[in-house]
Coordinates of all heavy atoms in Angstrom, one line a residue:
L130 N -17.9 41.6 -39.8 CA -18.6 42.0 -41.0 C -20.1 41.7 -40.8 O -20.9 42.5 -41.2 CB -18.1 41.1 -42.2 CG -18.5 41.6 -43.6 CD1 -18.0 43.0 -43.9 CD2 -18.0 40.6 -44.6
L131 N -20.5 40.6 -40.1 CA -21.9 40.4 -39.8 C -22.4 41.5 -38.9 O -23.5 42.0 -39.1 CB -22.0 39.1 -39.1 CG -22.0 37.8 -40.0 CD1 -22.0 36.6 -39.1 CD2 -23.2 37.8 -40.9
C132 N -21.6 41.9 -37.9 CA -22.0 43.0 -37.0 C -22.2 44.3 -37.8 O -23.1 45.1 -37.5 CB -21.0 43.1 -35.9 SG -21.4 44.4 -34.6
L133 N -21.3 44.5 -38.7 CA -21.4 45.8 -39.6 C -22.6 45.8 -40.4 O -23.3 46.8 -40.5 CB -20.1 45.9 -40.5 CG -20.1 47.1 -41.4 CD1 -20.1 48.4 -40.6 CD2 -18.8 47.0 -42.3
F134 N -23.0 44.6 -41.0 CA -24.2 44.6 -41.8 C -25.4 44.8 -41.0 O -26.4 45.5 -41.4 CB -24.3 43.2 -42.5 CG -23.4 42.9 -43.6 CD1 -23.0 41.7 -44.0 CD2 -22.8 44.0 -44.3 CE1 -22.2 41.5 -45.1 CE2 -22.0 43.8 -45.3 CZ -21.6 42.6 -45.7
A135 N -25.4 44.3 -39.7 CA -26.6 44.5 -38.8 C -26.7 46.0 -38.5 O -27.8 46.6 -38.5 CB -26.4 43.7 -37.6
F136 N -25.6 46.7 -38.2 CA -25.7 48.1 -37.8 C -26.1 48.9 -39.0 O -26.8 49.9 -38.9 CB -24.3 48.6 -37.3 CG -24.1 48.2 -35.8 CD1 -23.0 47.5 -35.4 CD2 -25.0 48.6 -34.9 CE1 -22.8 47.2 -34.1 CE2 -24.8 48.3 -33.5 CZ -23.7 47.6 -33.2
V137 N -25.6 48.6 -40.2 CA -25.9 49.4 -41.4 C -27.4 49.2 -41.7 O -28.1 50.2 -42.1 CB -25.1 48.9 -42.6 CG1 -25.6 49.5 -43.9 CG2 -23.6 49.4 -42.4
E138 N -27.9 48.0 -41.6 CA -29.4 47.8 -41.8 C -30.2 48.5 -40.8 O -31.3 49.0 -41.1 CB -29.7 46.3 -41.7 CG -31.1 45.9 -42.2 CD -31.3 44.4 -42.4 OE1 -30.3 43.7 -42.2 OE2 -32.4 44.0 -42.6
E139 N -29.7 48.5 -39.5 CA -30.4 49.3 -38.5 C -30.4 50.8 -38.8 O -31.4 51.5 -38.6 CB -29.8 49.0 -37.1 CG -30.5 49.8 -36.0 CD -29.8 49.6 -34.7 OE1 -28.6 49.0 -34.7 OE2 -30.3 50.0 -33.6
F140 N -29.3 51.3 -39.3 CA -29.2 52.7 -39.7 C -30.2 53.0 -40.8 O -30.9 54.1 -40.7 CB -27.8 53.0 -40.2 CG -27.5 54.4 -40.5 CD1 -27.1 55.3 -39.6 CD2 -27.7 54.9 -41.8 CE1 -26.8 56.6 -39.9 CE2 -27.5 56.2 -42.1 CZ -27.0 57.1 -41.2
F141 N -30.3 52.3 -41.8 CA -31.2 52.5 -42.9 C -32.7 52.3 -42.5 O -33.6 53.0 -43.0 CB -30.9 51.7 -44.1 CG -29.8 52.1 -44.9 CD1 -28.6 51.5 -44.9 CD2 -29.9 53.3 -45.7 CE1 -27.5 51.9 -45.7 CE2 -28.8 53.8 -46.4 CZ -27.6 53.1 -46.4
L142 N -32.9 51.5 -41.5 CA -34.3 51.3 -40.9 C -34.8 52.6 -40.4 O -36.0 53.0 -40.7 CB -34.3 50.2 -39.9 CG -35.6 50.0 -39.1 CD1 -36.7 49.5 -40.1 CD2 -35.4 49.1 -38.0
F143 N -34.0 53.3 -39.5 CA -34.5 54.5 -38.9 C -34.3 55.7 -39.8 O -35.0 56.7 -39.7 CB -33.8 54.7 -37.6 CG -34.2 53.8 -36.5 CD1 -33.4 52.7 -36.2 CD2 -35.3 54.0 -35.8 CE1 -33.7 51.8 -35.2 CE2 -35.7 53.1 -34.8 CZ -34.9 52.0 -34.5
Y144 N -33.4 55.6 -40.8 CA -33.2 56.7 -41.8 C -34.4 56.8 -42.7 O -34.8 57.9 -43.1 CB -31.9 56.5 -42.5 CG -31.6 57.6 -43.5 CD1 -31.2 58.9 -43.1 CD2 -31.7 57.4 -44.9 CE1 -30.9 59.9 -44.0 CE2 -31.4 58.4 -45.7 CZ -31.0 59.7 -45.3 OH -30.8 60.6 -46.2
L145 N -34.9 55.7 -43.2 CA -35.9 55.7 -44.2 C -37.3 55.5 -43.6 O -38.3 55.4 -44.4 CB -35.7 54.5 -45.2 CG -34.3 54.5 -46.0 CD1 -34.1 53.3 -46.8 CD2 -34.3 55.8 -46.8
Q146 N -37.4 55.4 -42.3 CA -38.7 55.2 -41.7 C -39.5 56.5 -41.6 O -39.2 57.4 -40.7 CB -38.6 54.6 -40.3 CG -39.9 54.1 -39.7 CD -39.7 53.5 -38.3 OE1 -40.6 53.4 -37.5 NE2 -38.5 52.9 -38.1
R147 N -40.4 56.8 -42.5 CA -41.1 58.0 -42.5 C -42.6 57.6 -42.7 O -43.2 57.8 -43.8 CB -40.7 58.9 -43.6 CG -39.3 59.5 -43.4 CD -39.2 60.5 -42.2 NE -38.0 61.1 -42.1 CZ -37.0 60.6 -41.4 NH1 -37.1 59.5 -40.8 NH2 -35.8 61.3 -41.3
K148 N -43.2 57.0 -41.7 CA -44.6 56.6 -41.9 C -45.5 57.8 -41.9 O -46.5 57.8 -42.7 CB -45.0 55.7 -40.7 CG -44.2 54.5 -40.5 CD -44.7 53.6 -39.4 CE -44.5 54.3 -38.0 NZ -43.1 54.5 -37.7
D149 N -45.2 58.8 -41.1 CA -46.0 60.1 -41.1 C -45.0 61.2 -41.1 O -44.2 61.4 -40.2 CB -46.9 60.1 -39.9 CG -47.8 61.3 -39.9 OD1 -47.8 62.1 -40.9 OD2 -48.6 61.5 -39.0
P150 N -44.9 62.0 -42.2 CA -43.9 63.1 -42.3 C -44.1 64.2 -41.2 O -43.1 64.8 -40.9 CB -44.1 63.7 -43.7 CG -44.8 62.6 -44.5 CD -45.6 61.9 -43.5
S151 N -45.2 64.3 -40.7 CA -45.5 65.3 -39.7 C -45.4 64.8 -38.2 O -45.7 65.5 -37.3 CB -46.9 66.0 -39.9 OG -47.9 65.0 -39.7
G152 N -44.9 63.6 -38.1 CA -44.8 63.0 -36.7 C -43.6 63.4 -36.0 O -42.5 63.5 -36.6
I153 N -43.7 63.6 -34.7 CA -42.6 64.0 -33.9 C -41.6 62.9 -33.7 O -40.4 63.1 -33.5 CB -43.1 64.5 -32.5 CG1 -44.0 65.7 -32.7 CG2 -41.9 64.9 -31.6 CD1 -43.3 66.9 -33.3
E154 N -42.0 61.6 -33.9 CA -41.1 60.5 -33.7 C -40.0 60.5 -34.7 O -39.0 59.9 -34.5 CB -41.9 59.2 -33.8 CG -42.4 58.8 -35.1 CD -43.7 59.5 -35.6 OE1 -44.2 60.3 -34.8 OE2 -44.2 59.2 -36.7
N155 N -40.2 61.1 -35.9 CA -39.2 61.2 -36.9 C -37.9 61.9 -36.4 O -36.8 61.6 -36.7 CB -39.7 61.9 -38.1 CG -40.8 61.1 -38.8 OD1 -40.8 59.8 -38.8 ND2 -41.8 61.8 -39.4
R156 N -38.2 63.0 -35.5 CA -37.0 63.7 -34.9 C -36.2 62.8 -34.0 O -35.0 62.8 -34.0 CB -37.5 64.9 -34.2 CG -36.4 65.8 -33.6 CD -35.5 66.3 -34.7 NE -34.4 67.1 -34.1 CZ -33.4 67.6 -34.8 NH1 -33.3 67.2 -36.1 NH2 -32.5 68.4 -34.3
Y157 N -36.9 62.0 -33.2 CA -36.3 61.0 -32.3 C -35.5 60.0 -33.1 O -34.4 59.6 -32.7 CB -37.3 60.4 -31.4 CG -37.8 61.3 -30.3 CD1 -38.9 62.1 -30.5 CD2 -37.2 61.3 -29.1 CE1 -39.4 62.9 -29.5 CE2 -37.7 62.1 -28.1 CZ -38.8 62.9 -28.3 OH -39.3 63.8 -27.3
F158 N -36.1 59.5 -34.2 CA -35.4 58.6 -35.1 C -34.1 59.1 -35.7 O -33.1 58.5 -35.9 CB -36.3 58.0 -36.1 CG -37.5 57.2 -35.6 CD1 -38.7 57.1 -36.3 CD2 -37.4 56.6 -34.3 CE1 -39.7 56.4 -35.8 CE2 -38.4 55.9 -33.8 CZ -39.6 55.7 -34.5
D159 N -34.2 60.4 -36.1 CA -33.1 61.1 -36.7 C -31.9 61.2 -35.7 O -30.7 61.0 -36.1 CB -33.5 62.5 -37.2 CG -34.4 62.4 -38.4 OD1 -34.4 61.3 -39.1 OD2 -35.1 63.4 -38.7
L160 N -32.3 61.6 -34.5 CA -31.2 61.7 -33.5 C -30.7 60.3 -33.1 O -29.5 60.2 -32.6 CB -31.8 62.4 -32.2 CG -32.2 63.8 -32.5 CD1 -32.9 64.4 -31.2 CD2 -31.0 64.7 -32.7
L161 N -31.5 59.2 -33.2 CA -31.0 57.9 -33.0 C -29.9 57.5 -34.0 O -29.1 56.6 -33.7 CB -32.1 56.9 -33.0 CG -31.8 55.5 -32.6 CD1 -31.3 55.4 -31.2 CD2 -33.1 54.6 -32.7
L162 N -29.9 58.1 -35.1 CA -28.9 57.8 -36.1 C -27.4 58.1 -35.7 O -26.5 57.6 -36.2 CB -29.2 58.5 -37.5 CG -30.5 58.2 -38.1 CD1 -30.7 59.0 -39.4 CD2 -30.5 56.7 -38.5
V163 N -27.3 59.1 -34.8 CA -26.0 59.5 -34.3 C -25.2 58.3 -33.6 O -24.1 57.9 -34.0 CB -26.1 60.7 -33.4 CG1 -24.7 61.1 -32.8 CG2 -26.6 61.9 -34.2
P164 N -25.8 57.7 -32.5 CA -25.1 56.5 -31.9 C -25.0 55.3 -32.8 O -24.0 54.6 -32.8 CB -26.0 56.2 -30.7 CG -27.3 56.8 -31.0 CD -27.1 58.0 -31.8
I165 N -26.0 55.1 -33.8 CA -25.9 54.0 -34.7 C -24.7 54.3 -35.6 O -23.9 53.4 -36.0 CB -27.2 53.8 -35.5 CG1 -28.3 53.5 -34.5 CG2 -27.0 52.7 -36.5 CD1 -29.7 53.3 -35.1
G166 N -24.6 55.5 -36.1 CA -23.4 55.9 -36.9 C -22.1 55.7 -36.2 O -21.1 55.3 -36.9
V167 N -22.0 56.0 -35.0 CA -20.8 55.7 -34.2 C -20.5 54.2 -34.2 O -19.3 53.8 -34.3 CB -20.9 56.3 -32.8 CG1 -19.8 55.9 -31.9 CG2 -21.0 57.8 -32.8
C168 N -21.5 53.4 -34.0 CA -21.3 51.9 -34.0 C -20.8 51.5 -35.4 O -19.9 50.6 -35.5 CB -22.6 51.2 -33.6 SG -23.1 51.6 -31.9
V169 N -21.4 52.0 -36.4 CA -21.0 51.6 -37.8 C -19.5 52.0 -38.0 O -18.7 51.2 -38.5 CB -21.9 52.3 -38.8 CG1 -21.3 52.1 -40.2 CG2 -23.3 51.7 -38.7
F170 N -19.1 53.2 -37.7 CA -17.8 53.7 -37.9 C -16.8 52.9 -37.1 O -15.7 52.6 -37.6 CB -17.7 55.2 -37.6 CG -16.4 55.8 -37.9 CD1 -16.0 56.0 -39.2 CD2 -15.5 56.2 -36.9 CE1 -14.7 56.6 -39.5 CE2 -14.3 56.8 -37.2 CZ -13.9 57.0 -38.5
S171 N -17.1 52.7 -35.8 CA -16.1 51.9 -35.0 C -16.0 50.5 -35.5 O -14.9 49.9 -35.4 CB -16.6 51.9 -33.5 OG -17.9 51.4 -33.4
T172 N -17.0 49.9 -36.0 CA -17.0 48.5 -36.5 C -16.1 48.5 -37.7 O -15.3 47.5 -38.0 CB -18.4 48.0 -36.7 OG1 -19.2 48.1 -35.6 CG2 -18.3 46.5 -37.1
I173 N -16.2 49.5 -38.6 CA -15.3 49.6 -39.8 C -13.9 49.7 -39.3 O -12.9 49.0 -39.9 CB -15.7 50.7 -40.7 CG1 -17.1 50.5 -41.3 CG2 -14.7 51.0 -41.8 CD1 -17.7 51.7 -42.0
L174 N -13.6 50.5 -38.3 CA -12.2 50.6 -37.8 C -11.7 49.3 -37.2 O -10.6 49.0 -37.3 CB -12.2 51.7 -36.7 CG -12.3 53.1 -37.2 CD1 -12.3 54.1 -36.1 CD2 -11.3 53.5 -38.3
E175 N -12.6 48.6 -36.6 CA -12.3 47.3 -36.0 C -11.9 46.2 -37.1 O -11.1 45.4 -36.9 CB -13.4 46.7 -35.1 CG -13.0 45.5 -34.3 CD -14.1 45.1 -33.4 OE1 -15.1 45.8 -33.3 OE2 -13.9 44.1 -32.7
L176 N -12.5 46.4 -38.2 CA -12.2 45.5 -39.4 C -10.8 45.8 -39.9 O -10.0 44.9 -40.3 CB -13.1 45.7 -40.5 CG -14.5 45.0 -40.3 CD1 -15.5 45.5 -41.4 CD2 -14.4 43.5 -40.3
K177 N -10.3 47.1 -39.8 CA -9.0 47.4 -40.4 C -7.8 47.4 -39.4 O -6.7 47.1 -39.7 CB -9.1 48.9 -40.9 CG -10.0 49.0 -42.1 CD -10.0 50.4 -42.7 CE -10.9 50.5 -43.9 NZ -10.9 51.9 -44.5
S178 N -8.1 47.6 -38.1 CA -7.1 47.7 -37.1 C -6.8 46.3 -36.5 O -7.7 45.6 -36.2 CB -7.4 48.7 -36.0 OG -8.6 48.2 -35.3
P179 N -5.5 46.0 -36.3 CA -5.2 44.7 -35.7 C -5.4 44.7 -34.2 O -5.6 43.6 -33.6 CB -3.7 44.5 -36.0 CG -3.2 45.9 -36.2 CD -4.3 46.7 -36.8
K180 N -5.4 45.8 -33.5 CA -5.6 45.9 -32.1 C -6.9 46.8 -31.8 O -6.7 48.0 -31.7 CB -4.4 46.5 -31.4 CG -3.2 45.6 -31.5 CD -2.0 46.2 -30.8 CE -0.8 45.4 -31.0 NZ 0.4 45.9 -30.3
P181 N -8.1 46.2 -31.9 CA -9.3 47.0 -31.9 C -9.7 47.4 -30.4 O -10.9 47.3 -30.1 CB -10.3 46.1 -32.5 CG -9.9 44.8 -32.1 CD -8.4 44.8 -32.0
R182 N -8.8 48.0 -29.6 CA -9.2 48.3 -28.3 C -10.1 49.6 -28.3 O -11.1 49.7 -27.7 CB -8.0 48.5 -27.4 CG -7.3 47.2 -27.1 CD -6.2 47.4 -26.1 NE -5.5 46.2 -25.8 CZ -4.4 45.8 -26.4 NH1 -3.9 46.5 -27.3 NH2 -3.8 44.6 -26.0

Side-chain angles (χ1 to χ4, degrees):
L130 193 62
L131 282 174
C132 185
L133 179 61
F134 286 159
F136 280 123
V137 170
E138 190 172 352
E139 183 185 6
F140 184 88
F141 282 108
L142 171 65
F143 290 100
Y144 180 74
L145 300 175
Q146 189 176 158
R147 294 290 186 273
K148 300 184 296 295
D149 188 1
S151 61
I153 299 297
E154 74 277 0
N155 296 324
R156 182 60 178 173
Y157 286 87
F158 295 155
D159 292 338
L160 294 173
L161 186 61
L162 297 178
V163 176
I165 298 175
V167 172
C168 294
V169 171
F170 184 72
S171 60
T172 308
I173 293 174
L174 291 180
E175 189 174 359
L176 284 171
K177 294 183 178 181
S178 60
K180 297 179 181 179
R182 291 187 179 93

